[in-house]
């Protein structure tokens, strides 16, 4: 299947153009598609929070951000192989049709100091952990700035967005 400009299925090895993230990438690395293709509002909130966190000696490293459909499908296939069933894999990896990573609406941050910082301060920037089982996964919830983050789902299988 040929590659398309919108991140559809293709054959061959996946790379940075599909959303793979090299080591050491931060939320300020505009040359990396996984960062550059994040929703602009999410990216702006991440960068504001990261700038504040730097004052506490914390750097926001990106493990995953935007992903192509092909990359998301590969992650799902790997999760099914790892966890033994599609149902169990769904606790960790969404389909390409439902993943907020494919739309650029989610980021997975590396290093526990960044996620610990966000667990304390993320709501001030509208950045919320969505799933209890994924301390690294953050999405933008602008209402959190005034009201705090919404209650977390135990895992993606409880998220109505994943039921499509």
């Amino acid at each position: 299947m040929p590659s398309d400009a919108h991140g559809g299925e293709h054959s061959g090895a996946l790379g940075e153009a599909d959303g793979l993230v090299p080591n050491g990438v931060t939320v300020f690395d505009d040359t990396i598609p996984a960062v550059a293709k994040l929703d602009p509002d999410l990216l702006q909130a991440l960068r504001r929070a990261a700038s504040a966190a730097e004052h506490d000696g914390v750097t926001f490293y990106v493990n995953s951000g935007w992903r192509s459909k092909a990359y998301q499908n590969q992650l799902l296939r790997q999760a099914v192989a790892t966890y033994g069933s599609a149902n169990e894999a769904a606790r960790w990896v969404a389909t390409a049709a439902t993943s907020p990573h494919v739309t650029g609406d989610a980021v997975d941050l590396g290093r526990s100091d960044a996620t610990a910082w966000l667990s304390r301060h993320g709501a001030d920037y509208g950045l919320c952990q969505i799933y209890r089982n994924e301390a690294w996964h953050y999405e933008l919830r602008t209402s959190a700035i005034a009201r705090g983050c919404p209650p977390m789902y135990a895992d993606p299988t409880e998220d109505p967005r994943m039921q499509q």
Side-chain angles (χ1 to χ4, degrees), residues 70-88:
Y71 183 25
Q72 188 67 32
N73 286 333
Q74 176 183 310
L75 291 173
L76 183 56
R77 285 190 302 273
Q78 290 171 338
V80 170
T82 298
Y83 297 108
S85 73
N87 285 342
E88 189 61 24

Side-chain angles (χ1 to χ4, degrees), residues 117-131:
W117 192 94
L118 277 174
S119 72
R120 292 188 307 274
H121 307 287
D124 297 338
Y125 302 89
L127 297 169
C128 297
Q129 180 183 341
I130 303 302
Y131 308 118

Side-chain angles (χ1 to χ4, degrees), residues 7-95:
E9 291 293 330
H10 63 78
S11 58
L14 300 176
E16 284 183 24
D18 292 292
L20 271 73
V21 181
N23 288 333
V25 169
T26 73
V27 298
F28 298 103
D29 289 329
D30 286 326
T31 61
I32 305 299
V35 174
K37 292 184 176 186
L38 286 172
D39 172 80
D41 293 331
L42 171 60
L43 187 55
Q44 181 181 21
L46 282 165
R47 289 177 172 173
R48 284 195 328 270
S51 293
E54 282 179 353
H55 294 291
D56 294 329
V58 175
T59 301
F60 285 13
Y61 291 99
V62 176
N63 283 348
S64 191
W66 168 86
R67 299 175 189 150
S68 70
K69 291 177 183 177
Y71 183 25
Q72 188 67 32
N73 286 333
Q74 176 183 310
L75 291 173
L76 183 56
R77 285 190 302 273
Q78 290 171 338
V80 170
T82 298
Y83 297 108
S85 73
N87 285 342
E88 189 61 24
R91 296 185 60 236
W92 302 98
V93 180
T95 67

